[in-house]
Amino acid sequence: MRSMEKKKYRIADKNRADMRALLRGIVAAYLLYMAYQLCFGIEDVTFPAAARVTVGIVLALAAVGFGVYAWRRYRADCEAAELTDKELEQLRREREE
């Protein structure tokens, strides 16, 4: 059975990817919150219910799409932050010295 090595990252790049993913996640969650409020939280008679629900559904779809984008971008950023074999070898040599 093959042992799985823990991936090693360039710290600054990985932290940047984490922070961006967190902020994008917050935006996606807020869009979902706004969609929920439009569909179920507002009782404004001047804004027709059908329009509220339609706009809420559009916002919910936008939130899901943005969430998928955020996840894919995070995975790509993490992959880009991984140390290459050459960098890992250089780190091993530096530790041995």
Side-chain angles (χ1 to χ4, degrees):
M1 194 164 149
R2 193 175 80 169
S3 68
M4 297 201 50
E5 256 187 70
K6 186 175 178 181
K7 293 181 180 181
K8 302 206 184 298
Y9 298 98
R10 286 183 293 283
I11 299 299
D13 292 342
K14 178 69 165 84
N15 288 343
R16 190 176 306 115
D18 291 344
M19 182 57 69
R20 288 178 178 168
L22 175 66
L23 294 174
R24 288 176 179 142
I26 289 170
V27 169
Y30 185 67
L31 286 173
L32 276 176
Y33 171 76
M34 287 186 353
Y36 175 81
Q37 287 298 317
L38 274 173
C39 290
F40 304 110
I42 296 175
E43 293 299 328
D44 185 6
V45 293
T46 61
F47 194 20
R52 278 195 331 257
V53 170
T54 302
V55 172
I57 290 171
V58 169
L59 271 177
L61 291 174
V64 170
F66 190 69
V68 169
Y69 163 76
W71 176 251
R72 288 182 178 171
R73 188 73 247 161
Y74 176 69
R75 296 305 314 145
D77 290 345
C78 285
E79 189 175 311
E82 285 182 34
L83 291 172
T84 63
D85 291 336
K86 188 175 182 179
E87 291 169 325
L88 286 171
E89 185 60 36
Q90 183 179 2
L91 283 174
R92 284 187 195 109
R93 275 184 277 162
E94 288 173 5
R95 287 181 185 162
E96 290 174 1
E97 293 175 355

